[in-house]
Amino acid sequence: MFDNYEVWWVTGAQLLYGGDAVVAVDSHSKEMVDGLNQSGNLPVKVVYKGTANSSAEVEAVMKAANNDPRCIGIITWMHTFSPAKMWIHGLKVLSKPLLHFHTQYNAEIPWQDIDMDFMNLNQSAHGDREFGHICARMRVRRKVVTGYWKDPATQGHIAVWERVAAAWADAQDMRIIRLGDQMNNVAVTDGDKVEAEIRLGYHVDYMPFSSLMPYFDAVKDEDVDNLVKVYFSEYDHDAALEDPTTEDYRKVWNSAKAELTLRAMLKDTGAKGFTTNFDDLGDVDVEKTGRGFDQIPGLASQRLMAEGYGFGAEGDWKSAALYRSVWVMNQGLKGGCSFLEDYTLNLQGAQSSILQAHMLEVCPLIASARPRLEVHFLGIGYRKSRTARLVFTGKPGNGITATVVDMGNRFRLIVNDVKCIEPQPMPKLPVASALWIPQPDFETGATAWILAGGTHHSCFSYDLTPEYWQDYAEIAGIEMVHIDRDTTIENFKQALRLGEVYYATNRSFYL
Ligand code: MN
């Protein structure tokens, strides 16, 4: 998916030092861009766009970046002294994420040979400060990465930003389909869909269940049979489940038909995510008509999440969109990600933890072992039925979870570092799950999450780090609060109070 994207590199220069200097600057820049691309550390290709030597050239390249759908962001570097007033008009129009790279072509000072020519070609210490000032003065949101361009740690910061910029670009034409509404009276998963589109880019549409039925009717039995075979080959299961004369086989078969129905709808509408509501599976008598979903499409949701479709249960469109973005950022990384829900507490003093699950909808990308396909009775929702699902537990290890809530005058991103631990077997709760201790500890982590107004739904990843979410919040221009090993309730409350003041009075975050 990153192959469809590119990041543009623009080098700031000027003609003060003569044409020869700019020629040298240009060749250094090319070498650096090639070096970054060949490092193997960047997921998105960097394309060198030349030196910008005047206000008109800066503005032209920024406008071109805005208009090129492949370009997901701009890296600027002031090789030499690039007077920052040159950047005002370009920065005013730039609508793509910006990374200001404070680096230098040359690594160490050549003490014996250094002269004024060297200075003129290695002047980022000077030029990047000038550029930094105009960004600060104009309140331009950006990431500043500082370090030597060949250093893998420095390249790692660029890589994080590239992944976030890709998720951001992906969200700008994201459509989320809601099958059914929120659960009645639920506040935290709801919010302002208009503001979400203005601020975060994605669009949320409602689709009545009746509009899903033509996709259902178009699914071929042969395709369902084949998908059921895939299930049996991919997942552990009881041999008896393969007996086509049993009710449970029929439940698996109907689940496969639900998956094919939903995927066909998502492809046809171009949607990147969807929500369901367990109280709304279409007002039809499935047993009588043979049309519609005879069970909550949990297995379908699990598998579609693994494929990258955003998913939010109970109408939670914000989580559906955020999960899709997490999945994009996670591409090519090893740990996996999932939509999760705080389910029940395990109160054990300092070792207290939270069981993360859902009725069914947990993504198998986080599974510690091959998932198991099982069918059990599910008594929730108006269509109580034996229901197919993948059962597994999440891997132990460190991860991070995030949610976005609507505070009325702004969106707040809440992020919590978590430590996943091994759960005990739960023979009477056959659902996919994970068990974690929020950092810095259960008491502080859960208290802070609740003080911030966080959801019971969140989007979890083993691979992302706080830096991803800092970059995301910076690009989106939304508040972020982070609960980590250093959090105390006192300092966290102070962060929330500062956010109230900043977002109540400062409208520059809309730039
Ligand atoms: Mn839920």
Side-chain angles (χ1 to χ4, degrees), residues 3 30 45 74 122 157 187 189 204 239 248 271 276 306 326 334 348 351 357 405 429 439 477 488 491 510:
D3 293 345
K30 275 185 199 138
K45 185 181 168 197
I74 284 212
N122 288 282
H157 294 301
T189 59
V204 184
D248 283 357
T276 56
V326 168
K334 289 191 184 106
Q348 264 193 312
Q351 281 306 302
V405 294
L429 187 69
Q439 299 301 293
T488 65
N491 66 26
Y510 268 100

Side-chain angles (χ1 to χ4, degrees), residues 23-51:
V23 170
V25 164
D26 191 53
S27 91
H28 288 174
S29 302
K30 275 185 199 138
E31 192 183 327
M32 292 162 80
V33 169
D34 288 346
L36 288 175
N37 284 327
Q38 284 155 18
S39 71
N41 292 329
L42 298 193
V44 178
K45 185 181 168 197
V46 183
V47 176
Y48 179 51
K49 287 288 167 178
T51 59

Side-chain angles (χ1 to χ4, degrees), residues 37 79 184 222 302 322 344 384 432 476:
N37 284 327
H79 190 302
N184 287 342
E222 185 192 342
Q302 291 182 295
L322 195 65
T344 198
K384 297 170 184 27

Side-chain angles (χ1 to χ4, degrees), residues 346-353 442-443:
N346 186 37
L347 296 171
Q348 264 193 312
Q351 281 306 302
S352 294
S353 54
F442 166 74
E443 183 186 345

